[in-house]
Amino acid sequence: MTTRRSALVTLLAIAPALHAQVAAPAEIAAELPGARLLGRGRLSFFGLHVYDARLWAGAGFEAERYAQHPLGLELEYARTLDGSKIAERSLDEMKRSGPIPPALAQRWLEQMTRTFPDVVQGDRITGVQRPAQSARFFLNGALRGELQDAEFAARFFGIWLGPQTSEPALRRALLGLDTGRS
C-alpha cells in the first residue's frame, strides 16, 4: 500500500512537468511560439464522451485574466457533431457570462455557423485567442476562419475558462488545477 501511495504521489508531483514536455500541434506552435500545455480534460454528457480538451498558453498565464492572454484551446472530438449545433451550443454557453444583445448574438451565431464545420471522431478544432483582437479557428491544423471581435473572443474562451462555466471540473483540469484528471 505504501509503495502504491508513493507512486501516486510521485505521479501527481511530476504531472505539471509532463504537460510542459508535450509538443504543441503545428497550428499552436505557429500562432503561439513557446506555448506550453497548461492542462487537459474530458467533456462527457450523460456518460457519453464528447471531446478531449487541451489548453495551451505562454509563461505568465493567469487564469483570472484569461481574456488578456494569447492562448489556444484544442478540442479533439470523440463523436460526430453538426457544426451548426456546435455554434448554437457555443452561443448558449457564451450567454452564461451575461446578456448579449439579440442583433449581436445573431451575428456571432452566423459567423460561428460559417466557421465551425461538422466533425467526426478524431477531428480537432483549435481556437486561438488573440487578446483585444480576434479568435482564429483551425480544423485539423488548417485555418477555417477568424472572427475579428475582441468581445466575442473573450466570451467564447470564457465558455471553458470563465468562472461562470457550466463545466467547472473541466475548467480546473484545463487550468492545471486538477493534476489527477486527464
PDB file of all heavy atoms in Angstrom, residues 114-147:
ATOM      1  N   ARG A 114     -20.779  29.572 -39.997  1.00  0.00           N
ATOM      2  CA  ARG A 114     -19.931  29.527 -41.194  1.00  0.00           C
ATOM      3  C   ARG A 114     -18.549  28.936 -40.887  1.00  0.00           C
ATOM      4  O   ARG A 114     -17.940  28.298 -41.744  1.00  0.00           O
ATOM      5  CB  ARG A 114     -19.746  30.925 -41.784  1.00  0.00           C
ATOM      6  CG  ARG A 114     -20.911  31.415 -42.591  1.00  0.00           C
ATOM      7  CD  ARG A 114     -20.549  32.648 -43.407  1.00  0.00           C
ATOM      8  NE  ARG A 114     -20.036  33.745 -42.604  1.00  0.00           N
ATOM      9  CZ  ARG A 114     -20.785  34.694 -42.037  1.00  0.00           C
ATOM     10  NH1 ARG A 114     -22.094  34.675 -42.186  1.00  0.00           N
ATOM     11  NH2 ARG A 114     -20.231  35.646 -41.326  1.00  0.00           N
ATOM     12  N   THR A 115     -18.069  29.157 -39.675  1.00  0.00           N
ATOM     13  CA  THR A 115     -16.697  28.780 -39.325  1.00  0.00           C
ATOM     14  C   THR A 115     -16.580  27.368 -38.779  1.00  0.00           C
ATOM     15  O   THR A 115     -15.607  26.674 -39.048  1.00  0.00           O
ATOM     16  CB  THR A 115     -16.135  29.785 -38.290  1.00  0.00           C
ATOM     17  OG1 THR A 115     -16.238  31.107 -38.836  1.00  0.00           O
ATOM     18  CG2 THR A 115     -14.681  29.493 -37.967  1.00  0.00           C
ATOM     19  N   PHE A 116     -17.558  26.928 -37.990  1.00  0.00           N
ATOM     20  CA  PHE A 116     -17.462  25.617 -37.347  1.00  0.00           C
ATOM     21  C   PHE A 116     -17.991  24.530 -38.274  1.00  0.00           C
ATOM     22  O   PHE A 116     -19.170  24.532 -38.636  1.00  0.00           O
ATOM     23  CB  PHE A 116     -18.250  25.593 -36.035  1.00  0.00           C
ATOM     24  CG  PHE A 116     -17.756  26.566 -34.992  1.00  0.00           C
ATOM     25  CD1 PHE A 116     -18.542  26.855 -33.901  1.00  0.00           C
ATOM     26  CD2 PHE A 116     -16.533  27.190 -35.089  1.00  0.00           C
ATOM     27  CE1 PHE A 116     -18.114  27.742 -32.923  1.00  0.00           C
ATOM     28  CE2 PHE A 116     -16.087  28.090 -34.127  1.00  0.00           C
ATOM     29  CZ  PHE A 116     -16.886  28.365 -33.037  1.00  0.00           C
ATOM     30  N   PRO A 117     -17.139  23.574 -38.617  1.00  0.00           N
ATOM     31  CA  PRO A 117     -17.563  22.500 -39.516  1.00  0.00           C
ATOM     32  C   PRO A 117     -18.277  21.390 -38.762  1.00  0.00           C
ATOM     33  O   PRO A 117     -18.238  21.322 -37.537  1.00  0.00           O
ATOM     34  CB  PRO A 117     -16.225  21.983 -40.042  1.00  0.00           C
ATOM     35  CG  PRO A 117     -15.315  22.153 -38.850  1.00  0.00           C
ATOM     36  CD  PRO A 117     -15.755  23.459 -38.205  1.00  0.00           C
ATOM     37  N   ASP A 118     -18.911  20.514 -39.524  1.00  0.00           N
ATOM     38  CA  ASP A 118     -19.355  19.254 -38.942  1.00  0.00           C
ATOM     39  C   ASP A 118     -18.079  18.494 -38.584  1.00  0.00           C
ATOM     40  O   ASP A 118     -17.073  18.587 -39.300  1.00  0.00           O
ATOM     41  CB  ASP A 118     -20.162  18.439 -39.954  1.00  0.00           C
ATOM     42  CG  ASP A 118     -21.462  19.129 -40.374  1.00  0.00           C
ATOM     43  OD1 ASP A 118     -21.897  20.068 -39.674  1.00  0.00           O
ATOM     44  OD2 ASP A 118     -22.024  18.723 -41.399  1.00  0.00           O
ATOM     45  N   VAL A 119     -18.118  17.747 -37.491  1.00  0.00           N
ATOM     46  CA  VAL A 119     -16.940  16.992 -37.073  1.00  0.00           C
ATOM     47  C   VAL A 119     -17.289  15.517 -36.943  1.00  0.00           C
ATOM     48  O   VAL A 119     -18.441  15.162 -36.720  1.00  0.00           O
ATOM     49  CB  VAL A 119     -16.347  17.518 -35.742  1.00  0.00           C
ATOM     50  CG1 VAL A 119     -15.802  18.929 -35.908  1.00  0.00           C
ATOM     51  CG2 VAL A 119     -17.372  17.457 -34.616  1.00  0.00           C
ATOM     52  N   VAL A 120     -16.260  14.699 -37.092  1.00  0.00           N
ATOM     53  CA  VAL A 120     -16.364  13.260 -36.870  1.00  0.00           C
ATOM     54  C   VAL A 120     -15.312  12.876 -35.845  1.00  0.00           C
ATOM     55  O   VAL A 120     -14.418  13.672 -35.523  1.00  0.00           O
ATOM     56  CB  VAL A 120     -16.175  12.458 -38.180  1.00  0.00           C
ATOM     57  CG1 VAL A 120     -17.272  12.786 -39.189  1.00  0.00           C
ATOM     58  CG2 VAL A 120     -14.798  12.682 -38.775  1.00  0.00           C
ATOM     59  N   GLN A 121     -15.418  11.669 -35.335  1.00  0.00           N
ATOM     60  CA  GLN A 121     -14.468  11.187 -34.342  1.00  0.00           C
ATOM     61  C   GLN A 121     -13.040  11.403 -34.837  1.00  0.00           C
ATOM     62  O   GLN A 121     -12.710  11.062 -35.973  1.00  0.00           O
ATOM     63  CB  GLN A 121     -14.701   9.706 -34.062  1.00  0.00           C
ATOM     64  CG  GLN A 121     -13.774   9.156 -33.004  1.00  0.00           C
ATOM     65  CD  GLN A 121     -14.030   7.687 -32.722  1.00  0.00           C
ATOM     66  OE1 GLN A 121     -14.877   7.057 -33.329  1.00  0.00           O
ATOM     67  NE2 GLN A 121     -13.298   7.153 -31.778  1.00  0.00           N
ATOM     68  N   GLY A 122     -12.215  12.000 -33.983  1.00  0.00           N
ATOM     69  CA  GLY A 122     -10.816  12.243 -34.304  1.00  0.00           C
ATOM     70  C   GLY A 122     -10.525  13.633 -34.839  1.00  0.00           C
ATOM     71  O   GLY A 122      -9.366  14.046 -34.874  1.00  0.00           O
ATOM     72  N   ASP A 123     -11.551  14.365 -35.289  1.00  0.00           N
ATOM     73  CA  ASP A 123     -11.327  15.743 -35.756  1.00  0.00           C
ATOM     74  C   ASP A 123     -10.928  16.633 -34.588  1.00  0.00           C
ATOM     75  O   ASP A 123     -11.398  16.451 -33.459  1.00  0.00           O
ATOM     76  CB  ASP A 123     -12.587  16.316 -36.409  1.00  0.00           C
ATOM     77  CG  ASP A 123     -12.775  15.880 -37.850  1.00  0.00           C
ATOM     78  OD1 ASP A 123     -11.820  15.358 -38.461  1.00  0.00           O
ATOM     79  OD2 ASP A 123     -13.893  16.069 -38.367  1.00  0.00           O
ATOM     80  N   ARG A 124     -10.081  17.621 -34.902  1.00  0.00           N
ATOM     81  CA  ARG A 124      -9.654  18.597 -33.899  1.00  0.00           C
ATOM     82  C   ARG A 124     -10.045  19.999 -34.360  1.00  0.00           C
ATOM     83  O   ARG A 124      -9.687  20.407 -35.466  1.00  0.00           O
ATOM     84  CB  ARG A 124      -8.132  18.583 -33.721  1.00  0.00           C
ATOM     85  CG  ARG A 124      -7.550  17.416 -33.028  1.00  0.00           C
ATOM     86  CD  ARG A 124      -6.030  17.516 -32.854  1.00  0.00           C
ATOM     87  NE  ARG A 124      -5.338  17.892 -34.084  1.00  0.00           N
ATOM     88  CZ  ARG A 124      -4.774  19.086 -34.317  1.00  0.00           C
ATOM     89  NH1 ARG A 124      -4.800  20.041 -33.411  1.00  0.00           N
ATOM     90  NH2 ARG A 124      -4.165  19.320 -35.453  1.00  0.00           N
ATOM     91  N   ILE A 125     -10.754  20.710 -33.511  1.00  0.00           N
ATOM     92  CA  ILE A 125     -10.974  22.134 -33.721  1.00  0.00           C
ATOM     93  C   ILE A 125     -10.112  22.843 -32.688  1.00  0.00           C
ATOM     94  O   ILE A 125     -10.197  22.557 -31.494  1.00  0.00           O
ATOM     95  CB  ILE A 125     -12.447  22.550 -33.565  1.00  0.00           C
ATOM     96  CG1 ILE A 125     -13.300  21.942 -34.672  1.00  0.00           C
ATOM     97  CG2 ILE A 125     -12.565  24.083 -33.579  1.00  0.00           C
ATOM     98  CD1 ILE A 125     -14.769  22.326 -34.616  1.00  0.00           C
ATOM     99  N   THR A 126      -9.271  23.745 -33.170  1.00  0.00           N
ATOM    100  CA  THR A 126      -8.406  24.516 -32.292  1.00  0.00           C
ATOM    101  C   THR A 126      -8.792  25.977 -32.419  1.00  0.00           C
ATOM    102  O   THR A 126      -8.876  26.511 -33.533  1.00  0.00           O
ATOM    103  CB  THR A 126      -6.921  24.341 -32.680  1.00  0.00           C
ATOM    104  OG1 THR A 126      -6.601  22.949 -32.667  1.00  0.00           O
ATOM    105  CG2 THR A 126      -6.004  25.085 -31.724  1.00  0.00           C
ATOM    106  N   GLY A 127      -9.036  26.612 -31.279  1.00  0.00           N
ATOM    107  CA  GLY A 127      -9.302  28.043 -31.247  1.00  0.00           C
ATOM    108  C   GLY A 127      -8.111  28.755 -30.646  1.00  0.00           C
ATOM    109  O   GLY A 127      -7.544  28.284 -29.660  1.00  0.00           O
ATOM    110  N   VAL A 128      -7.712  29.854 -31.255  1.00  0.00           N
ATOM    111  CA  VAL A 128      -6.603  30.661 -30.750  1.00  0.00           C
ATOM    112  C   VAL A 128      -7.133  32.049 -30.430  1.00  0.00           C
ATOM    113  O   VAL A 128      -7.715  32.712 -31.294  1.00  0.00           O
ATOM    114  CB  VAL A 128      -5.444  30.743 -31.768  1.00  0.00           C
ATOM    115  CG1 VAL A 128      -4.363  31.699 -31.287  1.00  0.00           C
ATOM    116  CG2 VAL A 128      -4.866  29.356 -32.028  1.00  0.00           C
ATOM    117  N   GLN A 129      -6.939  32.442 -29.188  1.00  0.00           N
ATOM    118  CA  GLN A 129      -7.358  33.781 -28.760  1.00  0.00           C
ATOM    119  C   GLN A 129      -6.220  34.765 -28.978  1.00  0.00           C
ATOM    120  O   GLN A 129      -5.102  34.550 -28.506  1.00  0.00           O
ATOM    121  CB  GLN A 129      -7.729  33.764 -27.274  1.00  0.00           C
ATOM    122  CG  GLN A 129      -8.089  35.148 -26.758  1.00  0.00           C
ATOM    123  CD  GLN A 129      -8.576  35.114 -25.336  1.00  0.00           C
ATOM    124  OE1 GLN A 129      -9.764  35.125 -25.120  1.00  0.00           O
ATOM    125  NE2 GLN A 129      -7.665  35.046 -24.378  1.00  0.00           N
ATOM    126  N   ARG A 130      -6.533  35.830 -29.690  1.00  0.00           N
ATOM    127  CA  ARG A 130      -5.609  36.943 -29.875  1.00  0.00           C
ATOM    128  C   ARG A 130      -6.226  38.105 -29.095  1.00  0.00           C
ATOM    129  O   ARG A 130      -7.151  38.756 -29.592  1.00  0.00           O
ATOM    130  CB  ARG A 130      -5.463  37.241 -31.353  1.00  0.00           C
ATOM    131  CG  ARG A 130      -4.932  35.989 -32.108  1.00  0.00           C
ATOM    132  CD  ARG A 130      -4.923  36.154 -33.582  1.00  0.00           C
ATOM    133  NE  ARG A 130      -3.908  37.142 -33.926  1.00  0.00           N
ATOM    134  CZ  ARG A 130      -3.891  37.803 -35.070  1.00  0.00           C
ATOM    135  NH1 ARG A 130      -4.822  37.595 -35.970  1.00  0.00           N
ATOM    136  NH2 ARG A 130      -2.954  38.679 -35.310  1.00  0.00           N
ATOM    137  N   PRO A 131      -5.759  38.333 -27.862  1.00  0.00           N
ATOM    138  CA  PRO A 131      -6.410  39.290 -26.959  1.00  0.00           C
ATOM    139  C   PRO A 131      -6.616  40.667 -27.596  1.00  0.00           C
ATOM    140  O   PRO A 131      -5.760  41.163 -28.315  1.00  0.00           O
ATOM    141  CB  PRO A 131      -5.448  39.389 -25.778  1.00  0.00           C
ATOM    142  CG  PRO A 131      -4.624  38.164 -25.846  1.00  0.00           C
ATOM    143  CD  PRO A 131      -4.540  37.786 -27.296  1.00  0.00           C
ATOM    144  N   ALA A 132      -7.785  41.213 -27.314  1.00  0.00           N
ATOM    145  CA  ALA A 132      -8.179  42.541 -27.797  1.00  0.00           C
ATOM    146  C   ALA A 132      -8.241  42.604 -29.325  1.00  0.00           C
ATOM    147  O   ALA A 132      -8.279  43.695 -29.893  1.00  0.00           O
ATOM    148  CB  ALA A 132      -7.253  43.629 -27.249  1.00  0.00           C
ATOM    149  N   GLN A 133      -8.256  41.430 -29.988  1.00  0.00           N
ATOM    150  CA  GLN A 133      -8.302  41.408 -31.447  1.00  0.00           C
ATOM    151  C   GLN A 133      -9.339  40.435 -31.988  1.00  0.00           C
ATOM    152  O   GLN A 133     -10.316  40.858 -32.596  1.00  0.00           O
ATOM    153  CB  GLN A 133      -6.935  41.023 -32.027  1.00  0.00           C
ATOM    154  CG  GLN A 133      -5.844  42.023 -31.794  1.00  0.00           C
ATOM    155  CD  GLN A 133      -4.529  41.526 -32.383  1.00  0.00           C
ATOM    156  OE1 GLN A 133      -4.489  40.675 -33.260  1.00  0.00           O
ATOM    157  NE2 GLN A 133      -3.443  42.057 -31.877  1.00  0.00           N
ATOM    158  N   SER A 134      -9.063  39.129 -31.812  1.00  0.00           N
ATOM    159  CA  SER A 134      -9.864  38.160 -32.542  1.00  0.00           C
ATOM    160  C   SER A 134      -9.719  36.755 -31.962  1.00  0.00           C
ATOM    161  O   SER A 134      -8.945  36.520 -31.044  1.00  0.00           O
ATOM    162  CB  SER A 134      -9.417  38.131 -34.010  1.00  0.00           C
ATOM    163  OG  SER A 134      -8.084  37.650 -34.110  1.00  0.00           O
ATOM    164  N   ALA A 135     -10.457  35.851 -32.583  1.00  0.00           N
ATOM    165  CA  ALA A 135     -10.324  34.420 -32.331  1.00  0.00           C
ATOM    166  C   ALA A 135     -10.152  33.760 -33.693  1.00  0.00           C
ATOM    167  O   ALA A 135     -10.900  34.047 -34.634  1.00  0.00           O
ATOM    168  CB  ALA A 135     -11.563  33.867 -31.634  1.00  0.00           C
ATOM    169  N   ARG A 136      -9.150  32.896 -33.800  1.00  0.00           N
ATOM    170  CA  ARG A 136      -8.888  32.148 -35.030  1.00  0.00           C
ATOM    171  C   ARG A 136      -9.242  30.694 -34.786  1.00  0.00           C
ATOM    172  O   ARG A 136      -9.003  30.179 -33.695  1.00  0.00           O
ATOM    173  CB  ARG A 136      -7.424  32.269 -35.439  1.00  0.00           C
ATOM    174  CG  ARG A 136      -7.019  33.723 -35.664  1.00  0.00           C
ATOM    175  CD  ARG A 136      -5.624  33.824 -36.182  1.00  0.00           C
ATOM    176  NE  ARG A 136      -5.740  33.702 -37.640  1.00  0.00           N
ATOM    177  CZ  ARG A 136      -4.718  33.493 -38.444  1.00  0.00           C
ATOM    178  NH1 ARG A 136      -3.510  33.345 -37.966  1.00  0.00           N
ATOM    179  NH2 ARG A 136      -4.911  33.414 -39.739  1.00  0.00           N
ATOM    180  N   PHE A 137      -9.801  30.031 -35.800  1.00  0.00           N
ATOM    181  CA  PHE A 137     -10.226  28.647 -35.654  1.00  0.00           C
ATOM    182  C   PHE A 137      -9.617  27.775 -36.748  1.00  0.00           C
ATOM    183  O   PHE A 137      -9.589  28.170 -37.927  1.00  0.00           O
ATOM    184  CB  PHE A 137     -11.754  28.556 -35.705  1.00  0.00           C
ATOM    185  CG  PHE A 137     -12.397  29.263 -34.544  1.00  0.00           C
ATOM    186  CD1 PHE A 137     -12.885  30.553 -34.683  1.00  0.00           C
ATOM    187  CD2 PHE A 137     -12.477  28.650 -33.306  1.00  0.00           C
ATOM    188  CE1 PHE A 137     -13.461  31.217 -33.611  1.00  0.00           C
ATOM    189  CE2 PHE A 137     -13.052  29.311 -32.221  1.00  0.00           C
ATOM    190  CZ  PHE A 137     -13.540  30.595 -32.375  1.00  0.00           C
ATOM    191  N   PHE A 138      -9.152  26.605 -36.335  1.00  0.00           N
ATOM    192  CA  PHE A 138      -8.500  25.646 -37.206  1.00  0.00           C
ATOM    193  C   PHE A 138      -9.227  24.309 -37.121  1.00  0.00           C
ATOM    194  O   PHE A 138      -9.678  23.919 -36.046  1.00  0.00           O
ATOM    195  CB  PHE A 138      -7.044  25.431 -36.772  1.00  0.00           C
ATOM    196  CG  PHE A 138      -6.206  26.671 -36.816  1.00  0.00           C
ATOM    197  CD1 PHE A 138      -6.261  27.609 -35.790  1.00  0.00           C
ATOM    198  CD2 PHE A 138      -5.362  26.911 -37.888  1.00  0.00           C
ATOM    199  CE1 PHE A 138      -5.490  28.759 -35.827  1.00  0.00           C
ATOM    200  CE2 PHE A 138      -4.583  28.061 -37.934  1.00  0.00           C
ATOM    201  CZ  PHE A 138      -4.646  28.989 -36.902  1.00  0.00           C
ATOM    202  N   LEU A 139      -9.303  23.611 -38.237  1.00  0.00           N
ATOM    203  CA  LEU A 139      -9.805  22.237 -38.266  1.00  0.00           C
ATOM    204  C   LEU A 139      -8.649  21.347 -38.680  1.00  0.00           C
ATOM    205  O   LEU A 139      -8.098  21.519 -39.781  1.00  0.00           O
ATOM    206  CB  LEU A 139     -10.962  22.078 -39.254  1.00  0.00           C
ATOM    207  CG  LEU A 139     -11.443  20.637 -39.458  1.00  0.00           C
ATOM    208  CD1 LEU A 139     -12.031  20.055 -38.168  1.00  0.00           C
ATOM    209  CD2 LEU A 139     -12.455  20.559 -40.593  1.00  0.00           C
ATOM    210  N   ASN A 140      -8.268  20.443 -37.796  1.00  0.00           N
ATOM    211  CA  ASN A 140      -7.165  19.522 -38.064  1.00  0.00           C
ATOM    212  C   ASN A 140      -5.931  20.259 -38.584  1.00  0.00           C
ATOM    213  O   ASN A 140      -5.241  19.801 -39.491  1.00  0.00           O
ATOM    214  CB  ASN A 140      -7.604  18.423 -39.028  1.00  0.00           C
ATOM    215  CG  ASN A 140      -8.735  17.607 -38.458  1.00  0.00           C
ATOM    216  OD1 ASN A 140      -8.784  17.342 -37.258  1.00  0.00           O
ATOM    217  ND2 ASN A 140      -9.669  17.210 -39.310  1.00  0.00           N
ATOM    218  N   GLY A 141      -5.667  21.433 -38.018  1.00  0.00           N
ATOM    219  CA  GLY A 141      -4.477  22.211 -38.348  1.00  0.00           C
ATOM    220  C   GLY A 141      -4.646  23.231 -39.461  1.00  0.00           C
ATOM    221  O   GLY A 141      -3.786  24.089 -39.635  1.00  0.00           O
ATOM    222  N   ALA A 142      -5.735  23.175 -40.212  1.00  0.00           N
ATOM    223  CA  ALA A 142      -5.962  24.112 -41.325  1.00  0.00           C
ATOM    224  C   ALA A 142      -6.881  25.247 -40.873  1.00  0.00           C
ATOM    225  O   ALA A 142      -7.927  25.004 -40.271  1.00  0.00           O
ATOM    226  CB  ALA A 142      -6.584  23.383 -42.513  1.00  0.00           C
ATOM    227  N   LEU A 143      -6.484  26.476 -41.187  1.00  0.00           N
ATOM    228  CA  LEU A 143      -7.279  27.645 -40.791  1.00  0.00           C
ATOM    229  C   LEU A 143      -8.658  27.579 -41.430  1.00  0.00           C
ATOM    230  O   LEU A 143      -8.801  27.399 -42.643  1.00  0.00           O
ATOM    231  CB  LEU A 143      -6.569  28.932 -41.222  1.00  0.00           C
ATOM    232  CG  LEU A 143      -7.262  30.235 -40.834  1.00  0.00           C
ATOM    233  CD1 LEU A 143      -7.347  30.383 -39.308  1.00  0.00           C
ATOM    234  CD2 LEU A 143      -6.514  31.426 -41.435  1.00  0.00           C
ATOM    235  N   ARG A 144      -9.706  27.747 -40.603  1.00  0.00           N
ATOM    236  CA  ARG A 144     -11.107  27.773 -41.066  1.00  0.00           C
ATOM    237  C   ARG A 144     -11.646  29.186 -41.127  1.00  0.00           C
ATOM    238  O   ARG A 144     -12.535  29.487 -41.913  1.00  0.00           O
ATOM    239  CB  ARG A 144     -11.997  26.969 -40.114  1.00  0.00           C
ATOM    240  CG  ARG A 144     -11.872  25.503 -40.204  1.00  0.00           C
ATOM    241  CD  ARG A 144     -12.632  24.934 -41.337  1.00  0.00           C
ATOM    242  NE  ARG A 144     -14.038  25.316 -41.301  1.00  0.00           N
ATOM    243  CZ  ARG A 144     -14.927  24.905 -42.164  1.00  0.00           C
ATOM    244  NH1 ARG A 144     -14.589  24.096 -43.127  1.00  0.00           N
ATOM    245  NH2 ARG A 144     -16.170  25.292 -42.078  1.00  0.00           N
ATOM    246  N   GLY A 145     -11.183  30.047 -40.207  1.00  0.00           N
ATOM    247  CA  GLY A 145     -11.695  31.403 -40.191  1.00  0.00           C
ATOM    248  C   GLY A 145     -11.233  32.159 -38.967  1.00  0.00           C
ATOM    249  O   GLY A 145     -10.647  31.588 -38.042  1.00  0.00           O
ATOM    250  N   GLU A 146     -11.510  33.448 -39.013  1.00  0.00           N
ATOM    251  CA  GLU A 146     -11.140  34.340 -37.911  1.00  0.00           C
ATOM    252  C   GLU A 146     -12.297  35.293 -37.661  1.00  0.00           C
ATOM    253  O   GLU A 146     -12.842  35.868 -38.605  1.00  0.00           O
ATOM    254  CB  GLU A 146      -9.874  35.119 -38.266  1.00  0.00           C
ATOM    255  CG  GLU A 146      -9.413  36.052 -37.181  1.00  0.00           C
ATOM    256  CD  GLU A 146      -8.053  36.662 -37.480  1.00  0.00           C
ATOM    257  OE1 GLU A 146      -7.552  36.523 -38.611  1.00  0.00           O
ATOM    258  OE2 GLU A 146      -7.495  37.289 -36.572  1.00  0.00           O
ATOM    259  N   LEU A 147     -12.684  35.429 -36.404  1.00  0.00           N
ATOM    260  CA  LEU A 147     -13.729  36.372 -36.024  1.00  0.00           C
ATOM    261  C   LEU A 147     -13.041  37.552 -35.350  1.00  0.00           C
ATOM    262  O   LEU A 147     -12.487  37.414 -34.262  1.00  0.00           O
ATOM    263  CB  LEU A 147     -14.752  35.714 -35.098  1.00  0.00           C
ATOM    264  CG  LEU A 147     -15.772  34.824 -35.824  1.00  0.00           C
ATOM    265  CD1 LEU A 147     -15.174  33.509 -36.262  1.00  0.00           C
ATOM    266  CD2 LEU A 147     -16.968  34.594 -34.959  1.00  0.00           C
TER     267      LEU A 147
END
